[in-house]
Amino acid sequence: MSIPDDLLVDVAAMVESEQTNQMSLTVVVHGAVVTGRLAPESVWRQRVAEVLQDSDQLGPFANIFNASAPGAPAAGRSRNSAEPPSHLHFHVARILQGTLGIPETGGMYRIALKDVSAWTVGDFSYSDK
């Protein structure tokens, strides 16, 4: 989808403005199904930075996520509310592949709103039985 769904943009904007991470969402992106909880970008960046800082090899990359990128808030700062979000920020998220969710423990994904072709509120359960 080249033009983001206005309703989905509104959902993302509310997550950003409320600074909440309780909104569960499932999206289809280029045929992949991603399910999990949305987080505000600043919270997502902070969590990614924390994971990277704990790595001997990847630690230096943490600074990229702690620093403010053009048009994006730095950790702890809110996005300009006049500018609509361009991405969804998932945490505790999984890519559904058959009956499996990858990774098992959930991951951190940043997905461009313009790439979402379908979505639904809530997350899908899966079973590896």
Side-chain angles (χ1 to χ4, degrees):
M1 172 183 289
S2 60
I3 299 173
D5 180 314
D6 289 339
L7 188 54
L8 186 56
V9 171
D10 289 346
V11 168
M14 188 165 189
V15 169
E16 288 293 332
S17 68
E18 298 291 323
Q19 296 294 298
T20 179
N21 61 3
Q22 298 304 309
M23 180 62 176
S24 294
L25 195 72
T26 299
V27 297
V28 177
V29 183
H30 301 293
V33 178
V34 179
T35 190
R37 286 195 328 220
L38 294 178
E41 183 176 357
S42 60
V43 172
W44 183 87
R45 284 172 163 263
Q46 181 179 2
R47 288 188 180 155
V48 171
E50 288 168 0
V51 169
L52 293 172
Q53 284 170 348
D54 290 342
S55 169
D56 292 334
Q57 296 174 342
L58 302 176
F61 288 96
N63 293 335
I64 295 170
F65 291 89
N66 283 328
S68 180
R77 274 195 266 155
S78 298
R79 172 184 285 281
N80 178 351
S81 60
E83 182 183 328
S86 59
H87 289 78
L88 297 170
H89 295 87
F90 282 91
H91 69 112
V92 194
R94 293 170 182 86
I95 298 172
L96 299 183
Q97 178 68 37
T99 59
L100 297 176
I102 307 166
E104 236 177 73
T105 57
M108 308 284 285
Y109 297 101
R110 176 178 161 106
I111 298 172
L113 282 161
K114 68 179 180 61
D115 292 336
V116 175
S117 59
W119 62 278
T120 187
V121 172
D123 57 352
F124 282 113
S125 297
Y126 57 90
S127 171
D128 48 63
K129 294 179 184 177

